[in-house]
Amino acid sequence: MARWWLGGTAVVVVAGLIAWFGLRTGDKPEPAAGGFPNVVVPAPVSAVAGSGSGFLIDAKTTISSDVPDLGSYLASQLQPLAGVTPAMGASGSIQLRIGGAPANVGESGYQLVADSKGVIIRAATPAGLFAGIQTLLQLVPVRGTHAVPSGTIIDYPRYAYRGAMLDVARHFFTVDQVKKYIDEIAMYKLNYLHLHLTDDQGWRIVIKKWPNLTTHGGSTQVDGTPAGFYTQADYSAIVAYAASRFITVIPEIDMPGHTNAALASYPELNCNGTAPALYTGITVGFSSLCVHKELTYKFVDDVISEIAALTPGPYIHIGGDESQATLPADYATFVERAQKIVLAHGKIPYGWHDLSNAKLDPATVAEFWGTSPNQTMIGKAVAAGTKVVLAPANVAYLDMKYDDSTVLGQTWAGEIELNTAYGWDPASFIPGADPANVLGVEACLWTETIRTSADIEQMVFPRLPAIAELGWSPASTHNVKAFDQRVAAQSQRWKLLDINYYRSPQVSWPDWS
Ligand code: TNX
């Protein structure tokens, strides 16, 4: 058992299972305490204490990186934390190295070694280095001396898919707001950003062959306030920015329901040839593309073709949820054709688990958003070998209120306090599912009641780090008390970076003032 003394706090590391023994219930973490075991979210796979005082980040610190962009990224991120922007140098005191990490870190993990002389992060890929950088940034104490504690972390993800979904249809968010969100989810090692680009209330991405989708269909949002949309260049800028943070963007075009904005923009898409008015309410389940018109499939093909060309990632999400206005047989017909169109454009079809009411292509991925793991629909799909991403609404829907006093959000799936968001296991969530068919987890933020970046942050912090940890950290690290303490430590950086968050009463938040 190694003991690790940091600012008077004893950190004990036992065989990679991390706990902070210096705290009893009710104790406040010390604001100045560093030490990676008790601060890092998601919890690393293993962390072993070193001896000595750790590495002091100061004006003499330099960075050398095998991936130049990552060196400058790290320098820029250290600036607000440590008050210095390290220069690049051939033999930096912080080194980012491709190669030399233990084989078990795989393609996405890293090894981080810190001692009094410096910090070395090693990984097989730039993505692994980026994950290691996120850990390093969490290890730098914001207060007092900026000393990274000495020790060794070996870390890699439990699941390949760790996503966040942002609904930009109900309320529109600008490119800059989405970039800010990308930076925030990157802090917690998420690697997919799913953008819900279309819904009854708005169509947010230009489709050159169908321009009225955005000029008319993107003009309003919930409440009827003016809204906007992304040009294809805007969208590509989001995709590129996400890629620089090793995040893959997944576009969602929600069909055949949730399509009022499209139907309002083109009368010919409606079975009766008449365009409905734009919709600015929040009730769902009333709209459907006209399944029996051949033009509908020309429309879908045109849209998917342009979206596929803007999408370097493997998935296109076709929605498929809550199509109450589509007859069941029509729904099946539509989904089967839509899957083929996505495949024909070289992408993997992905959709809400309602898709499993149709015959699924073996490649299609289903996103589970139900509140009961026993829902037969998903059970059947999973039994048939469909790969799933878990976003159960009663634990992973970040638009649900925390408690009765939460101003923003909805309650249809329940109230979700921090420990509820954290309190489930993706591997065993759906009874009978082969754990190998669980691709990962997603934290979803629907925006009927969310209007600003501060609103987004209020709902996702601290719950998004909880879902991120379920996706990244081994089940053996799952410990609610330890998690709440590590989340408490995150708040110092949120305060510094002006990130809004909910002060859950389940956490002993330190006083950083
Ligand atoms: C259900 S989840 C929806 C969305 C709403 C959300 C609000 C899903 C696939 N559909 O249309 O925005 O609830 O929580």
Side-chain angles (χ1 to χ4, degrees):
M1 183 186 290
R3 266 191 178 251
W4 200 351
W5 290 94
L6 299 156
T9 303
V11 177
V12 181
V13 183
V14 185
L17 181 67
I18 296 152
W20 191 359
F21 282 54
L23 286 174
R24 293 180 311 278
T25 315
D27 282 352
K28 296 257 187 218
E30 289 179 32
F36 36 82
N38 59 349
V39 296
V40 176
V41 178
V45 172
S46 90
V48 177
S51 54
S53 55
F55 175 66
L56 195 65
I57 296 182
D58 62 17
K60 296 192 293 288
T61 302
T62 54
I63 297 173
S64 82
S65 176
D66 289 347
V67 184
D69 285 353
L70 288 181
S72 33
Y73 168 79
L74 174 59
S76 71
Q77 300 296 304
L78 282 172
Q79 216 308 308
L81 283 177
V84 294
T85 308
M88 301 300 132
S91 55
S93 41
I94 300 177
Q95 296 184 33
L96 307 177
R97 298 289 175 230
I98 296 288
N104 64 346
V105 308
E107 293 293 296
S108 312
Y110 64 92
Q111 178 199 53
L112 183 154
V113 180
D115 61 23
S116 60
K117 293 195 282 307
V119 179
I120 304 182
I121 302 175
R122 297 182 190 280
T125 63
L129 284 182
F130 187 78
I133 288 171
Q134 299 313 316
T135 297
L136 173 58
L137 293 169
Q138 293 187 13
L139 291 174
V140 180
V142 176
R143 299 284 184 97
T145 52
H146 307 297
V148 177
S150 66
T152 299
I153 289 179
I154 293 173
D155 198 15
Y156 48 86
R158 180 180 183 189
Y159 290 107
Y161 185 110
R162 303 173 308 279
M165 189 223 70
L166 180 65
D167 171 9
V168 296
R170 271 54 178 275
H171 281 102
F172 178 66
F173 294 89
T174 64
V175 172
D176 283 346
Q177 287 176 306
V178 175
K179 287 182 177 175
K180 181 174 163 67
Y181 196 49
I182 287 169
D183 280 332
E184 292 172 355
I185 69 173
M187 290 165 71
Y188 297 99
K189 302 186 173 80
L190 296 189
N191 61 347
Y192 284 95
L193 174 66
H194 164 182
L195 287 177
H196 184 76
L197 291 167
T198 68
D199 212 302
D200 290 319
Q201 298 86 347
W203 187 287
R204 306 294 177 208
I205 173 120
V206 166
I207 302 296
K208 290 180 179 162
K209 284 199 179 142
W210 297 77
N212 217 32
L213 289 171
T214 39
T215 49
H216 183 62
S219 59
T220 58
Q221 57 189 351
V222 167
D223 303 335
T225 43
F229 54 83
Y230 307 123
T231 64
Q232 294 197 353
D234 287 340
Y235 187 76
S236 293
I238 292 173
V239 169
Y241 191 82
S244 75
R245 270 74 176 138
F246 301 89
I247 290 171
T248 301
V249 176
I250 299 172
E252 178 184 349
I253 305 294
D254 199 352
M255 307 177 284
H258 290 271
T259 43
N260 191 76
L263 297 168
S265 304
Y266 287 96
E268 61 269 39
L269 290 177
N270 295 267
C271 287
N272 66 3
T274 306
L278 290 170
Y279 180 67
T280 59
I282 62 171
T283 312
V284 294
F286 63 89
S287 58
S288 179
L289 291 174
C290 187
V291 171
H292 298 292
K293 268 194 180 175
E294 210 40 45
L295 178 70
T296 295
Y297 302 97
K298 158 116 178 60
F299 168 75
V300 173
D301 190 69
D302 287 346
V303 170
I304 298 298
S305 159
E306 292 191 31
I307 295 288
L310 295 168
T311 302
Y315 301 114
I316 291 185
H317 202 297
I318 54 172
D321 57 315
E322 302 173 316
S323 282
Q324 284 99 307
T326 320
L327 292 174
D330 290 353
Y331 180 84
T333 302
F334 179 86
V335 167
E336 283 155 34
R337 286 191 70 172
Q339 290 178 99
K340 289 202 177 76
I341 291 170
V342 172
L343 288 164
H345 290 287
K347 298 295 175 185
I348 299 172
Y350 181 22
W352 300 107
H353 73 257
D354 318 46
L355 285 192
S356 51
N357 280 325
K359 192 168 172 308
L360 292 185
D361 186 275
T364 297
V365 174
E367 178 162 16
F368 179 68
W369 63 278
T371 53
S372 160
N374 292 318
Q375 262 164 267
T376 47
M377 232 195 294
I378 189 73
K380 267 193 294 181
V382 167
T386 300
K387 298 246 188 305
V388 287
V389 169
L390 294 173
N394 54 344
V395 287
Y397 265 27
L398 305 189
D399 62 315
M400 293 300 118
K401 290 180 186 289
Y402 293 95
D403 65 16
D404 291 349
S405 68
T406 311
V407 175
L408 301 169
Q410 309 202 53
T411 53
W412 69 263
E415 292 175 342
I416 306 179
E417 249 298 351
L418 175 62
N419 292 344
T420 306
Y422 181 69
W424 57 289
D425 177 20
S428 56
F429 192 79
I430 298 181
D434 177 352
N437 286 336
V438 175
L439 285 184
V441 297
E442 187 158 282
C444 296
L445 187 66
W446 301 98
T447 59
E448 288 93 336
T449 66
I450 310 297
R451 294 172 179 83
T452 64
S453 287
D455 289 353
I456 292 178
E457 292 165 355
Q458 176 75 17
M459 298 309 270
V460 312
F461 291 111
R463 292 181 295 192
L464 181 132
I467 305 299
E469 177 148 325
L470 296 178
W472 178 281
S473 306
S476 60
T477 63
H478 196 268
N479 177 321
V480 67
K481 200 168 155 223
F483 172 73
D484 289 347
Q485 287 163 356
R486 286 182 289 104
V487 161
Q490 299 295 310
S491 64
Q492 174 165 224
R493 214 165 143 220
W494 298 341
K495 184 163 166 35
L496 180 83
L497 300 176
D498 212 12
I499 294 175
N500 195 19
Y501 67 98
Y502 163 63
R503 289 177 70 88
S504 165
Q506 296 179 331
V507 172
S508 285
W509 300 101
D511 178 9
W512 303 115
S513 57

